[in-house]
Amino acid sequence: MTTRLSTADSNFEELFARFLTTKREVSEEVGAVVAEVIARVRDEGDAAVIDYTRKFDRFDPAATGLRITREEIEAAYEAVDKPTVEALKIARDRIEAHHTRQLPEDLRYRDDIGVELGWRWTAVHTVGIYVPGGLASYPSSVLMNAVPARVAGVERIVMAVPTPDGELNPLVLVAADLAGVTDIFRVGGAQAIAALAYGTETIPAVDKIVGPGNAYVAAAKRQVFGKVGIDMIAGPSEVLVVADPDNDPAWVAADLLAQAEHDTAAQAILITTDASFAAQVEEAVRTQLTTLPKADIASASWRDYGAIILISDMEEVPALIDRIAPEHLELATDAAENILARIRNAGAVFLGRYTPEALGDYVAGTNHVLPTARSARFSSGLGVLDFMKRMSLLRAGVDQLRIIGPAAIALGRSEGLDAHARSVSIRLNV
Amino acid sequence: MTTRLSTADSNFEELFARFLTTKREVSEEVGAVVAEVIARVRDEGDAAVIDYTRKFDRFDPAATGLRITREEIEAAYEAVDKPTVEALKIARDRIEAHHTRQLPEDLRYRDDIGVELGWRWTAVHTVGIYVPGGLASYPSSVLMNAVPARVAGVERIVMAVPTPDGELNPLVLVAADLAGVTDIFRVGGAQAIAALAYGTETIPAVDKIVGPGNAYVAAAKRQVFGKVGIDMIAGPSEVLVVADPDNDPAWVAADLLAQAEHDTAAQAILITTDASFAAQVEEAVRTQLTTLPKADIASASWRDYGAIILISDMEEVPALIDRIAPEHLELATDAAENILARIRNAGAVFLGRYTPEALGDYVAGTNHVLPTARSARFSSGLGVLDFMKRMSLLRAGVDQLRIIGPAAIALGRSEGLDAHARSVSIRLNV
């Protein structure tokens, strides 16, 4: 049953706290299996990758080659309809334009005693992008992962995508090509993550791996973290729609279902001040479900994890948002800017009545790879900075060393690190 | 034996590749033990934390209380010498001044069709800082972790530090207090990480955990990653000194030993063009070791992991640096700026002959928490951004939706996500 809460209820705090900690994923214990896959790929390279692919994806990459060829990419362009390619190009261009604004600035400055400090940002050299196979193989996600990498200046963008039974959505290849992916391999699962982390004869070792995947992929990323960089561990997606009664209930229902259709573990939440408006939204959800191709998934998600939270006053909203820390937040109210100024935890905020989340999923230019499962408390959506790193810079002369060196000597000695102290004192002849 | 390589040798590539992959740490398999500790702390709270602390730290926190009191902090100020406190204040102020420059800017703009895009940065609300006990309990590291959090605007900074046998370095408490830490608990190990991630009756749950630790702490951080944010997994430290023969060999030797004295697994590497200069440095290392309190540690590090790489030409340096991707890089040469412009992988760069790494360890203002074990290929030193996150912002009106909505509808349908398409089309009456 869709959860119904009201802040006016005396036990709201207890019910809301329980709602926040509801698990939407069964965490599978796949760590041991994944560790074995990683060890074999590290030791045996291509042979292990080919072996696992035969077993899990039921085709022989030794026959096709692990690498997807230029000819296959050209064939993909032929296989898809032109308007969709044009839509991908619009999305690509807008994502690129927005992400270019995220390029950070270098800094060099002299402080008041003449010490030079600063930093220089550089791109990660080689990045691996994991793209799930099957149902969740979304061309839009290829753009969202690869375009920021290219904007950052990554020289080599290596994509791994499983092709179960040898099949692949041609739009995924087109999106990869439009986004500037440099190498594509037909390999998935933990074996793909292992190959990207350690390299094989055919697949280059990368410096960082991004992209969503199933439990095996997530466990593999966790295990190779440190050897390479990884992005966040993606969980099931969620939306929180804050809507006043001036909204069209059908629009709000459509937005809730756009989240619910992703996955039975997805979560759509409505916060509103008006019980009869809430009832109208529920009715509209029921109506729209009757004509939705993914009605099975969406109705399960809405039933098991959907929620309507009635509030007495919009003043209650900011605190609720920060506790939910939603991946997506729609503020379909005239008070949107006022609420925005008072919150801190949300992956992406969609302001006003004409900004459905789906716009951000595809063509707005913002990124749709966002922190799920309350991780907006501590992390950001994917962006250019995820593909860059900052070198810290420092330069002192003898005059500066004379001024601040004695404090360094004192601290070095206090920590029992006399060689630290000496490396300063030897330059000062003290 | 300290490694000696020369780029002029015919087998240099093979030897250098082997050198790069030398493991300096035995990875302990502590995952299962740590999983049990985390589960117990999550389920039993304080009782489990107290129980583990009795067992591992050999004192009874039920008697003292888990929380370190204001009175204990005041007593710590009394117990330490005043010049060291002054040195800590100099360090704190300089770290704060430099990190304030890292505060990111928010952005709102309208693109050419009137879509409003942007982002807003906010601080993580509550952060946990782990500080190791015993030998590696460095007050300077407390400053390096806590000051950037405070600069970012973190409201609650919770420190966990083990106090084996009830003992604690008073300078650690003073540093925490100077840095603005709000809560300090005498607990360490995996039990501390679990308590910070899940909260107990006494210890608040945090949103992100930073700070170095032993194998148990590192494994615990890896396991709670996702529930909370974590920083990098710190490995043994390293320095690469690029020095031309115009340097004083004794200065370069002092810098190499300042790294080597940290840990037998630390690594100090010298790159130079001049074999006789290299020999003078080695001789100076031997001489200085005779008067170094931590000579045992430093000589083991220099013997087992130290290296001298002879090059024919400074032109070879940038490529070597990027492959080593050192945590610390000293460029003790007039060509420092030229080299800097041509590299991408280093945690922190110390430019010129008067910038020993130890300056950055303590009082320069830059952060000393830096990417180790070649992870400078994909990550940055600790900074203000590690304690902030970026909300993505989007606002469209009906006019903008008319322009880019159709592309979103096309992509939604191409991905089989009809509710996504509908959430746009319903607003356009199409």
Side-chain angles (χ1 to χ4, degrees), chain B residues 34-54:
Chain B
V34 164
E36 192 190 313
V37 171
I38 293 174
R40 255 199 77 195
V41 171
R42 193 186 53 211
D43 295 345
E44 300 171 30
D46 281 347
V49 171
I50 289 170
D51 198 36
Y52 283 122
T53 302
R54 280 180 186 140

Side-chain angles (χ1 to χ4, degrees), chain B residues 38 66 68 75 103 151 166 174 177 198 243 247 262 271 273 341 371 410 425:
Chain B
I38 293 174
L66 284 168
I68 289 180
L103 281 165
V151 169
V174 170
D177 191 58
Y198 290 95
N247 286 278
H262 264 298
I271 293 184
T273 48
S425 63

Side-chain angles (χ1 to χ4, degrees), chain A residues 15-36:
Chain A
L15 296 174
F16 184 64
R18 195 185 305 159
F19 171 73
L20 282 183
T21 54
T22 305
K23 283 244 185 245
R24 291 186 281 136
E25 269 188 317
V26 183
S27 53
E28 294 180 63
E29 280 307 326
V30 298
V33 176
V34 164
E36 192 189 314

Side-chain angles (χ1 to χ4, degrees), chain A residues 84 87-88 90-91 94 98 101-102 107-109 111 113 115 117-120 122-125 138-140 155 171 206-208 222-223 225-230 233 250-251 254-255 257-258 261-262 288 291-294 336-337 340-341 343-356 358-364 366 376-383 385 389-398 401 404 407-408 410-412 414-420 422-424 426-427, chain B residues 84 87-88 90-91 94 98 101-102 107-109 111 113 115 117-120 122-125 138-140 155 171 206-207 222-223 225-230 233 250-251 254-255 257-258 261-262 288 291-294 336-337 340-341 343-356 358-364 366 376-383 385 389-398 401 404 407-408 410-412 414-420 422-424 426-427:
Chain A
T84 310
L88 279 174
I90 290 170
R94 292 188 56 89
H98 179 62
R101 302 257 186 167
Q102 293 179 353
L107 180 73
R108 287 291 281 273
Y109 69 97
D111 69 12
I113 61 166
V115 177
L117 302 99
W119 55 74
R120 212 183 114 220
T122 58
V124 176
H125 186 277
Y138 295 132
S140 60
E155 290 184 20
L171 275 174
V206 304
D207 299 308
K208 181 163 185 170
R222 206 179 272 270
Q223 289 185 24
F225 173 50
K227 166 72 183 165
V228 298
I230 63 168
I233 305 284
W251 295 14
D255 295 358
L257 287 171
E261 75 172 340
H262 263 298
Q288 291 181 27
T291 56
L292 190 63
K294 288 188 188 289
E337 295 290 340
L340 173 63
I343 63 171
R344 66 163 84 219
N345 296 338
V349 189
F350 302 83
L351 297 147
R353 307 182 201 281
Y354 283 93
T355 321
L359 208 60
D361 285 342
Y362 292 119
V363 295
T366 48
R377 293 175 295 124
F378 54 81
S379 61
S380 311
L382 195 71
L385 292 186
K389 62 263 177 4
R390 190 184 58 222
M391 288 190 285
S392 171
L393 308 181
L394 187 66
R395 183 193 279 273
V398 65
L401 203 62
I404 57 173
L411 291 173
S414 80
E415 293 184 350
L417 297 172
D418 289 73
H420 281 63
R422 185 189 278 164
S423 73
V424 176
I426 200 170
R427 285 169 164 88
Chain B
T84 311
L88 279 174
I90 291 170
R94 292 187 57 89
H98 179 61
R101 303 257 186 166
Q102 293 180 352
L107 180 73
R108 287 292 281 274
Y109 69 97
D111 70 10
I113 61 166
V115 177
L117 303 99
W119 55 74
R120 211 181 115 220
T122 58
V124 176
H125 186 278
Y138 296 133
S140 59
E155 290 184 21
L171 275 175
V206 305
D207 299 309
R222 205 179 274 267
Q223 289 185 24
F225 173 49
K227 166 70 183 163
V228 298
I230 63 169
I233 304 285
W251 295 14
D255 296 357
L257 288 172
E261 74 173 340
H262 264 298
Q288 293 180 27
T291 56
L292 191 63
K294 288 188 187 291
E337 296 290 339
L340 174 62
I343 62 171
R344 65 164 83 219
N345 296 339
V349 188
F350 303 83
L351 298 148
R353 307 182 202 280
Y354 282 93
T355 321
L359 208 59
D361 285 341
Y362 293 119
V363 294
T366 49
R377 293 175 295 125
F378 53 82
S379 60
S380 311
L382 195 71
L385 292 185
K389 62 263 179 0
R390 191 183 58 222
M391 288 191 284
S392 172
L393 308 180
L394 187 66
R395 183 193 279 273
V398 65
L401 203 61
I404 58 173
L411 291 174
S414 81
E415 294 185 349
L417 297 172
D418 288 72
H420 281 62
R422 186 188 279 164
S423 73
V424 176
I426 200 169
R427 287 171 163 85

